[in-house]
Amino acid sequence: MPNAEDRHRFRPGSKIDLHEVATSAPRNEDKEDAERELAELKERLFDLQERLYAERTRSLLLVFQGLDGSGKNSATNHVFSGVNPEGVHVTAFKVPTAEELAHDYLWRIHRAVPGKGQIGIFNRSHYEDVLVVRVDEIVPPEVWRERYEQINQFEKLLADTGTTILKFYLHLSKEEQKKRFESRIEKPEKRWKFSLDDLRKRAQWDAYLKAYDDVLERCSTDWAPWYVIPADDKWYRNLAVARVIVAALEELDPRFPEPAEPPGGWDHLVVE
Ligand code: AMP
Ligand code: MG
């Protein structure tokens, strides 16, 4: 039995058909236990983030991808509530602007990568350039096909220069997406989250799953692994994501810097 945090890691070299992969919580997981465990993980995350920030030598990049309604935004809200916002930066990647389109597709991504001591969260990412761009045929296949290897090399550069990368694909079922869309449509205070484009993308469901299969098979690497997180049960989605993040930070083991001893020692330092 692998560690809980490794359970959903997509092993490099594996094959996948996302139609066959569970979207609900594993049977041995319990909602009440999960809530307790998540609360504990959040305390550890608070402490680890503070150390990472104080140490200022390394950074953590978290990439969130998933179809509309899968909870890319909500998962990070839940896991990171309680963490000092100064050390966390969220970037949501939308349809590229004219300036972004005038550059290579990684330009806007690279400038949003977290600096030393920071945690960067990407809500969508450079992976859109092999997902929506492929499904909507925004560029020809010979262009997007080259990108998997470019992305792997880009992520290798980041990893080699002190950025730990964790990528989460939030795996939602088509039935659960329908429920979430209906709830967004019914509740006036949730309608802002809904767009007609979401329905157009829902109609391309199979093409998206195929595009995600390829992302996982081609871009889950030792230096930037993908995790396939079942996303129908929000409580499990949050727990599974938090487990991976906390385990990775504990492995990094960031330490508070030890400032040089002042002349005469700390015990004799007086604040007038
Ligand atoms: P949302 O995340 O729901 O606010 O929507 C953002 C939209 O931007 C989604 O429909 C994405 O597919 C789209 N998007 C993000 N990155 C790209 C990209 N590189 N090219 C085209 N569309 C993109
Ligand atoms: Mg959306």
Side-chain angles (χ1 to χ4, degrees):
M1 194 55 192
N3 293 337
E5 71 270 14
D6 288 333
R7 182 172 200 160
H8 303 295
R9 181 197 275 254
F10 191 80
R11 301 241 153 3
S14 324
K15 295 282 167 212
I16 196 167
D17 175 356
L18 282 169
H19 287 99
E20 306 293 320
V21 177
T23 54
S24 49
R27 237 170 252 162
N28 65 336
E29 299 278 356
D30 170 82
K31 188 172 175 187
E32 269 176 36
D33 291 345
E35 277 158 11
R36 256 190 306 273
E37 189 185 337
L38 180 62
E40 223 174 86
L41 287 168
K42 283 171 67 173
E43 280 180 29
R44 277 151 72 191
L45 182 61
F46 176 88
D47 174 60
L48 287 159
Q49 185 272 335
E50 190 168 52
R51 288 165 188 270
L52 186 81
Y53 185 76
E55 192 193 66
R56 272 177 226 271
T57 58
R58 297 170 292 175
S59 38
L60 178 64
L61 173 59
L62 308 172
V63 172
F64 285 85
Q65 286 287 161
L67 295 173
D68 295 294
S70 60
K72 300 182 286 298
N73 188 26
S74 158
T76 49
N77 274 348
H78 275 94
V79 175
F80 282 91
S81 64
V83 167
N84 181 359
E86 190 163 338
V88 181
H89 189 76
V90 183
T91 311
F93 292 97
K94 307 288 182 185
V95 176
T97 62
E99 190 189 21
E100 287 167 351
L101 281 175
H103 294 79
D104 72 87
Y105 68 100
L106 291 172
W107 179 75
R108 66 173 183 164
I109 308 296
H110 206 159
R111 62 211 301 246
V113 161
K116 295 192 192 320
Q118 296 278 326
I119 298 178
I121 298 172
F122 285 180
N123 181 337
R124 302 187 190 273
S125 64
H126 41 306
Y127 285 97
E128 292 295 328
D129 293 284
V130 286
L131 290 163
V132 63
V133 165
R134 166 180 173 173
V135 173
D136 280 350
E137 301 180 4
I138 297 172
V139 302
E142 56 275 23
V143 173
W144 58 255
R145 271 199 211 111
E146 295 294 319
R147 291 184 172 171
Y148 301 102
E149 191 49 31
Q150 292 164 353
I151 288 173
N152 287 342
Q153 291 308 316
F154 168 66
E155 292 176 349
K156 182 81 168 54
L157 165 79
L158 299 182
D160 286 348
T161 50
T163 302
T164 297
I165 307 171
L166 301 170
K167 302 179 296 198
F168 300 96
Y169 162 66
L170 305 183
H171 187 39
L172 190 70
S173 67
K174 207 169 177 186
E175 299 72 47
E176 181 63 22
Q177 189 192 53
K178 180 175 159 70
K179 282 189 206 150
R180 293 190 187 174
F181 282 178
E182 283 170 351
S183 140
R184 288 177 180 186
I185 293 165
E186 276 159 26
K187 299 188 184 136
E189 73 278 11
K190 279 194 174 185
R191 281 184 195 145
W192 65 274
K193 289 191 189 181
F194 184 77
S195 87
L196 284 178
D197 195 56
D198 294 349
L199 293 183
R200 192 180 63 84
K201 285 203 167 74
R202 179 172 167 80
Q204 299 168 314
W205 189 270
D206 289 338
Y208 270 104
L209 285 206
K210 176 81 194 71
Y212 270 110
D213 286 348
D214 284 347
V215 161
L216 296 167
E217 289 180 4
R218 289 160 196 241
C219 297
S220 195
T221 54
D222 291 332
W223 59 89
W226 272 106
Y227 291 82
V228 179
I229 306 289
D232 281 1
D233 299 296
K234 295 173 183 173
W235 59 268
Y236 183 70
R237 173 200 69 198
N238 297 340
L239 176 67
V241 166
R243 280 175 175 164
V244 174
I245 296 171
V246 169
L249 279 169
E250 280 177 348
E251 171 97 21
L252 285 178
D253 191 21
R255 304 288 175 99
F256 290 118
E258 283 183 37
E261 184 114 341
W266 289 106
D267 295 342
H268 299 281
L269 204 58
V270 178
V271 182
E272 299 283 358

